[in-house]
Amino acid sequence: MPGRLKKFDEFFQRKAAEGGNVVAMARMGLAMRERGELAEAESWYRKAAMGGDRVSMTALAHLLAERGAHDEAERWYHEAALAGEPHGMLNLARSYERRGKREDAQHWYSEAAHTGDLPSIAALGRLLREQGRTEEAEPWLRQAAEAGITGAMIDLGIVLRDRGQAAEASRWWRSAVQAGDLAATCQLGRQAERLGRPGDAESWYRQGASGGHVEAIVRLGLLLHRRGDLEEAENWYLDAAERGDPAAMTNLGVLARNRGDEGEAAAWYRKAAEHGSVPALTNLGHLAEHRDDLAEAEQWFRRAAQTGDVQGMLSLARMLRSRGAAHEAEVWLARAEHVQDDREHQF
């Protein structure tokens, strides 16, 4: 009987939707999405959205984003945001942030945060922290952290650490770990390393690595690498590399080169570079330079330098100067100095 009632309910809901009832259209969209019939779900959500249902605007945008129609998705997130829908505001802000439009992102995170939406409160705090506006960031992060948002706990800990309040920072990171966010093990491990407690750092990294957290895996590998436990370090790097981490791939290249296998080193560096590792570009340049292929070396150094990498700029400048291109060398040296100065003045 319940199954028959459900069929009758869907029948009448579909009739209502076909008759122009916006609420019924939205419910049909949800029902079709849950059933996996995404094309029909999109059709119903679109009709409900065009009928003014703001939640359907956001739901439609989600479906569009999932199938790669990002421009149209952003337009519907914008419509939902203008209609006052918090999730529309949040996702619009995320879209703007991905495109580097940080002021627009901050505006919509702020609008959503003022509705009380916790993910938006956490995101606003994070964005402000990344801009160095820690006094503004802290109350937002604290509000989200106290409500149980683990990302906010981690960001709040970073604000507190930078202010010299290491004990409170650790408490928040431990709370995040206890809530299941293994990213906090990296913060706790790094703090232990700064305090000269490598054993504690290793324990935190192992906890994160055992749970599959990629950054913790790489940091554990680095710690083992530095103290000479190369076989275990390599095993952890391989684990992270299989998960697509470019830093692990670069470090596997370093291990290979240190044992004299430049072919394997180059293969790992190239794979890392394909995944976005800038240090791998510079390392490929050093390999080419070592085999006296100076033209190829210069190409790799130039690619690294063009990303804003200081080591790439310095290596490129050295090569340019050695072949007599003194003016261009000075230009790259000046750029490297400018980048270093900017970093020294950042929070």
Side-chain angles (χ1 to χ4, degrees):
M1 190 67 177
R4 293 178 67 186
L5 284 173
K6 185 175 181 181
K7 287 183 180 179
F8 277 120
D9 182 60
E10 185 177 314
F11 172 80
F12 286 114
Q13 189 163 271
R14 183 179 291 274
K15 285 295 183 183
E18 290 171 349
N21 186 294
V22 173
V23 173
M25 293 175 189
R27 288 177 178 168
M28 284 299 299
L30 177 60
M32 293 302 103
R33 171 151 198 170
E34 290 176 345
R35 193 181 293 175
E37 298 179 18
L38 301 185
E40 188 172 357
E42 182 179 323
S43 175
W44 284 117
Y45 277 140
R46 189 180 297 279
K47 290 174 183 177
M50 294 178 71
D53 185 75
R54 62 183 192 171
V55 174
S56 293
M57 295 175 190
T58 300
L60 172 61
H62 286 331
L63 284 178
L64 291 165
E66 286 170 6
R67 68 173 176 82
H70 297 294
D71 289 344
E72 188 181 1
E74 185 176 295
R75 289 197 295 273
W76 279 110
Y77 283 138
H78 190 254
E79 290 296 322
L82 291 175
E85 208 283 301
H87 292 163
M89 298 176 190
L90 172 61
N91 283 283
L92 178 62
R94 287 171 174 166
S95 179
Y96 281 142
E97 188 174 5
R98 281 192 297 270
R99 295 202 286 116
K101 301 177 70 172
R102 294 173 72 87
E103 288 186 12
D104 290 329
Q106 183 186 324
H107 169 77
W108 286 110
Y109 280 141
S110 180
E111 290 292 310
H114 282 95
T115 72
D117 182 67
L118 285 172
S120 300
I121 290 170
L124 176 60
R126 173 191 53 77
L127 191 65
L128 292 168
R129 178 189 69 75
E130 290 173 353
Q131 294 173 346
R133 297 159 62 182
T134 54
E135 294 297 323
E136 296 174 71
E138 183 182 352
W140 291 112
L141 291 172
R142 195 173 289 278
Q143 183 180 345
E146 289 172 350
I149 304 294
T150 58
M153 296 177 191
I154 294 171
D155 283 320
L156 177 59
I158 293 171
V159 168
L160 294 167
R161 178 203 65 197
D162 292 347
R163 193 183 293 163
Q165 297 171 248
E168 188 181 357
S170 292
R171 286 197 295 274
W172 280 112
W173 291 333
R174 287 173 185 270
S175 294
V177 173
Q178 289 168 2
D181 194 333
L182 294 177
T185 62
C186 296
Q187 297 297 335
L188 287 159
R190 291 172 66 190
Q191 179 159 280
E193 286 195 87
R194 283 191 294 270
L195 295 173
R197 301 201 299 263
D200 290 344
E202 182 177 344
S203 294
W204 285 116
Y205 293 149
R206 282 193 185 278
Q207 183 174 343
S210 297
H213 190 271
V214 175
E215 183 186 347
I217 293 171
V218 176
R219 290 192 178 279
L220 176 59
L222 282 168
L223 188 149
L224 295 165
H225 189 164
R226 284 195 293 267
R227 79 175 185 211
D229 293 340
L230 301 186
E231 185 176 350
E232 188 182 0
E234 185 168 10
N235 287 335
W236 284 113
Y237 288 152
L238 283 167
D239 187 350
E242 288 171 359
R243 299 167 189 261
D245 185 80
M249 296 172 193
T250 302
N251 294 336
L252 285 165
V254 171
L255 287 176
R257 188 177 188 194
N258 288 346
R259 59 176 175 256
D261 192 338
E262 294 202 353
E264 184 182 349
W268 278 116
Y269 290 152
R270 286 180 184 276
K271 192 172 183 64
E274 289 169 5
H275 283 75
S277 170
V278 175
L281 298 173
T282 303
N283 289 350
L284 282 164
H286 290 312
L287 283 180
E289 189 176 16
H290 184 254
R291 62 176 184 269
D292 291 325
D293 190 340
L294 302 186
E296 182 181 340
E298 183 176 324
Q299 287 177 0
W300 287 117
F301 291 144
R302 189 176 296 279
R303 280 184 61 183
Q306 287 169 345
T307 71
D309 180 64
V310 171
Q311 291 305 314
M313 294 178 191
L314 295 175
S315 296
L316 176 60
R318 175 175 52 77
M319 291 208 73
L320 290 166
R321 183 176 285 168
S322 69
R323 68 173 174 81
H327 176 70
E328 188 183 358
E330 291 304 317
V331 170
W332 283 111
L333 286 171
R335 289 186 188 179
E337 184 178 354
H338 179 70
V339 171
Q340 288 174 320
D341 286 345
D342 282 350
R343 289 177 181 171
E344 288 173 4
H345 289 88
Q346 286 176 354
F347 283 94

